[in-house]
Amino acid sequence: FIRRALEPFAKITLDDPLKLIEGGASVIILPDISAMTTQTLNTLENWVKEGGLLLRFAGPKMADATTGQFLLPVNLRAGGRSLSGSLSWDEPQTIDTFSETSPFYGLDIPLDISISQQVLADPAQDLEGKIWAQLSDGTPFITASGMDKGMVVLIHTTANTEWSNFAISGLYVSVLKRIIQLAGTSATQTSKVFSNLD
């Protein structure tokens, strides 16, 4: 899904994160993955601090992790949230209108997008300025945080259709495009480039 969305306007390379960094990648996208080694985490963190943009997607592995929340823009509640889980919805959620402070401001949101499962940001933290998109009930859907010269972005659902139909929407393509256009931009500078995004 990621490859199909980005291929028309970005060079896609599939490889180990360390090799991608060695190859000069400006953006690294990590779908839901298992635990990373300390070396990989440290190298990724240093790469972000030097200006890299790390985009992560949630999934079952992230939801099941009770410890080791590294390289995330916000702290997460363990277990996630689903239609059948303990923190559940009665109906699938839709994506709320993007605010003027979001890099996605102005994008049309199809009415048929539905989110049936997500990882939840822990509300007992300062989320100001970190929420780029939220669901119709106000829970964060895309969050971001700066790390020195770079930033980490998290989409709180899966990169595929396991938890939602977001990945098969035109909005998915537009959102990914806008995110990768922010490569090399610190979180404190993003407001300066919003108006230049297609």
Side-chain angles (χ1 to χ4, degrees):
F1 292 93
I2 296 172
R3 176 191 283 271
R4 188 163 64 234
L6 292 177
E7 271 183 336
F9 54 88
K11 178 183 177 183
I12 309 296
T13 303
L14 299 178
D15 213 331
D16 175 88
L18 298 181
K19 292 182 179 178
L20 292 175
I21 291 172
E22 290 175 2
S26 58
V27 178
I28 292 179
I29 301 175
L30 296 179
D32 190 35
I33 59 171
S34 302
M36 291 180 281
T37 66
T38 300
Q39 178 190 4
T40 299
L41 286 170
N42 289 339
T43 303
L44 270 173
E45 181 178 358
N46 290 331
W47 171 79
V48 172
K49 288 180 176 179
E50 289 300 314
L53 192 157
L54 178 63
L55 171 58
R56 301 190 64 179
F57 283 86
K61 294 171 185 173
M62 185 177 290
D64 290 341
T66 55
T67 59
Q69 293 189 11
F70 301 108
L71 290 176
L72 292 170
V74 295
N75 296 324
L76 302 176
R77 280 187 174 180
R81 184 187 194 195
S82 68
L83 288 174
S84 59
S86 57
L87 297 168
S88 63
W89 294 304
D90 293 327
E91 298 289 339
Q93 291 292 305
T94 55
I95 300 173
D96 199 7
T97 303
F98 300 120
S99 73
E100 292 184 8
T101 59
S102 169
F104 314 125
Y105 178 67
L107 293 179
D108 292 328
I109 300 172
L111 297 177
D112 59 350
I113 292 181
S114 63
I115 314 298
S116 59
Q117 194 163 346
Q118 67 170 148
V119 292
L120 279 175
D122 190 336
Q125 62 184 307
D126 182 9
L127 294 172
E128 185 176 353
K130 294 182 178 180
I131 300 173
W132 283 2
Q134 61 185 17
L135 299 182
S136 50
D137 68 352
T139 55
F141 179 60
I142 301 176
T143 54
S145 180
M147 291 181 64
D148 293 348
K149 298 177 183 178
M151 74 177 79
V152 179
V153 181
L154 172 65
I155 297 179
H156 289 234
T157 194
T158 52
N160 55 27
T161 56
E162 187 174 357
W163 286 5
S164 75
N165 62 357
F166 176 54
I168 55 174
S169 70
L171 181 62
Y172 185 79
V173 176
S174 298
V175 162
L176 293 187
K177 183 178 180 181
R178 288 202 176 183
I179 290 174
I180 67 169
Q181 285 178 323
L182 293 171
T185 305
S186 69
T188 56
Q189 296 172 319
T190 53
S191 61
K192 299 178 184 178
V193 299
F194 289 167
S195 61
N196 296 322
L197 298 179
D198 296 331

